[in-house]
Amino acid sequence: MASTEEIRAELAEIVNEVTGIPAEDVQLDKSFTDDLDVDSLSMVEVVVAAEEKFSVRIPDDAVKDLKTVGDAVSYIEKAQAAA
Amino acid sequence: MSRRRVVVTGLGLTSPVGGDVASSWEALLAGKSGVRHLTADWAQDLPVQIAATAAVEPTDVLDRVKARRLDRSAQFAMVAAMEAWADSGLADGGVDPERLGVAMASGIGGVTTLLANYDALKEKGPRRVSPLAVPMLMPNAPAANVGLYVGAKAAVNTPVSACASGNEGIALGTDQIRLGRADVVLAGGTEAAIHPLPIAAFANMMALSKTGSGESDADPTTVSRPWDVARDGFVLGEGAGVLVLEELEHARARGATIYAEVLGTGITADSHDIAQPDPEGRGGSRAILRTLEDAGISPGDIAHVNAHATSTPQGDIAEGLMIHATLGKYADEVVVTSTKSMTGHLLGGAGALESIATVLAIRHRVAPPTINLDNLDPAVELDIPTTARDLRAGDIAALNNSFGFGGANVAVAFGSI
């Protein structure tokens, strides 16, 4: 099982790939929209890439509740634990 | 009121022979070919394994994050538009955005994005179709992205007429300025269709040369050979060209560099066949005659023709007939060139690339050569130099012809100024 920090770091790589935002800026307390300026289509790209990377499913209904990087990391941790 | 005149004040190009205008023009004058073997695995089972691929990958030039949101055709368009916009000197508020338009054509649109997403759909399911697929693959994506880049708020259009599209972009941009709807239009065309499906499709309709592929060990640089007796089809190319078209007084008022004037344009349809050209080239002849009339010039004013001449058996002969039918006794005096002998056929980008070559031929008074013309087809009676040829001094005009599937014919006349 990957650690919280490992998941955050890998998610940060995905966000960097999609948006160009430096990976070190993608920290748990950051809001995707307010702090990182990730637009809605980029967010879909990030989610789909994360699903593939972490072998989890993140339904569209869940995506709207993922306000911060920390929200996404904990969702992925729970989804992995349930798998 | 006299008609508003349109001039060319900026050029941008990315082509199989160079990543910008200067390197492409130098290569064209030197007779260098951009046709290469396709070495990727996906090409190895295809009936055609050569193409004129871009000399410089657009992803080497563009910002990585921006590039991944663009189909390759839009990437080429952006590279060419960025060069043309910088070249024009308009970037620092030189034009009212509401008087700035775009007419950026494409023959096929975002075909590689469409097919890559279909592959993802089939192999991994609908979840893997990119949320950006539609804004990437839509045919007006190159025009829209260029428009966003320069801040254009007049019309941002995408003419589509197969291989005549690039010239149609220039004709449309010229009309927009003449009609008073814009003062500046970035006009041109782009194409990025070097992919197994378009290659198989063009090959199966027997439009592409199969020389240099499969068992043939011919040098790829010798395969595109317009008007040569051994020609057997075109070579697919890719890239984009953009011309900054500007109303003459607007350009003069800001002291712009003026490359040439767009003297006139002519658009006609063959009404003959969906794919075959009229064997006597009557539709193309009417496009040239309309262009001369629109430009208010005579056949004797034409010093140079950048021909469509794609290296197909029928099309090259038909264009020779057109030049004779329209220019009469002056057909023997014009210097005729097919730059496709070096660049291959850029489809919707062809008219733009070749208009830029025509503009530069007028400005520098030299026409690029036609390479690989070892034995001129006896059915063609034209002066087609095989090395760069100087053009005469004084006021001159030059024609650029483009013809497309569907029977589309678009000619543009440029003149010295």
Side-chain angles (χ1 to χ4, degrees), chain A residues 16-17 20 39 42 45 47 51-52 57-58 60, chain B residues 64-65 68-69 124 127-132 135:
Chain A
N16 173 260
E17 175 66 23
D39 66 31
S42 295
E45 284 198 281
V47 165
E51 287 182 336
E52 184 157 13
R57 179 84 174 91
I58 309 175
D60 290 346
Chain B
R64 177 182 63 83
V65 173
R68 68 182 294 284
R69 292 181 154 232
K124 298 179 174 177
R127 183 71 175 164
R128 301 303 170 83
V129 173
S130 170
L132 300 171

Side-chain angles (χ1 to χ4, degrees), chain B residues 66-82:
Chain B
K66 288 196 178 75
R68 68 182 294 284
R69 292 181 154 232
L70 299 174
D71 178 77
R72 188 170 174 86
S73 63
Q75 291 176 356
F76 287 138
M78 282 302 300
V79 171
M82 288 162 69

Side-chain angles (χ1 to χ4, degrees), chain B residues 5-8 170 174 178 245 260-265 412-415:
Chain B
R5 293 169 64 183
V6 179
V7 293
V8 179
I170 294 162
T174 301
R178 283 177 169 180
L245 306 180
E261 180 169 6
V262 185
L263 296 175
T265 65
V412 180
F414 296 95

Side-chain angles (χ1 to χ4, degrees), chain A residues 65-82:
Chain A
D65 296 328
L66 305 180
K67 305 291 187 200
T68 67
V69 175
D71 293 342
V73 170
S74 49
Y75 189 96
I76 291 164
E77 284 180 315
K78 282 176 195 153
Q80 284 186 328

Side-chain angles (χ1 to χ4, degrees), chain B residues 86-178:
Chain B
D87 186 39
S88 73
L90 283 163
D92 296 323
V95 57
D96 175 357
E98 296 192 15
R99 306 287 300 161
L100 173 62
V102 175
M104 195 68 197
S106 174
I108 302 187
V111 64
T112 56
T113 294
L114 174 65
L115 293 168
N117 277 279
Y118 187 55
D119 288 344
L121 173 71
K122 283 186 301 177
E123 290 163 14
K124 298 179 174 177
R127 183 71 175 164
R128 301 303 170 83
V129 173
S130 170
L132 300 171
V134 170
M136 286 173 70
L137 69 84
M138 61 190 191
N140 64 319
N145 281 288
V146 169
L148 287 167
Y149 175 69
V150 299
K153 294 183 178 177
V156 173
N157 294 116
T158 304
V160 176
S161 52
C163 304
S165 301
N167 259 11
E168 194 163 327
I170 294 162
L172 175 62
T174 301
D175 284 348
Q176 295 284 47
I177 294 172
R178 283 177 169 180

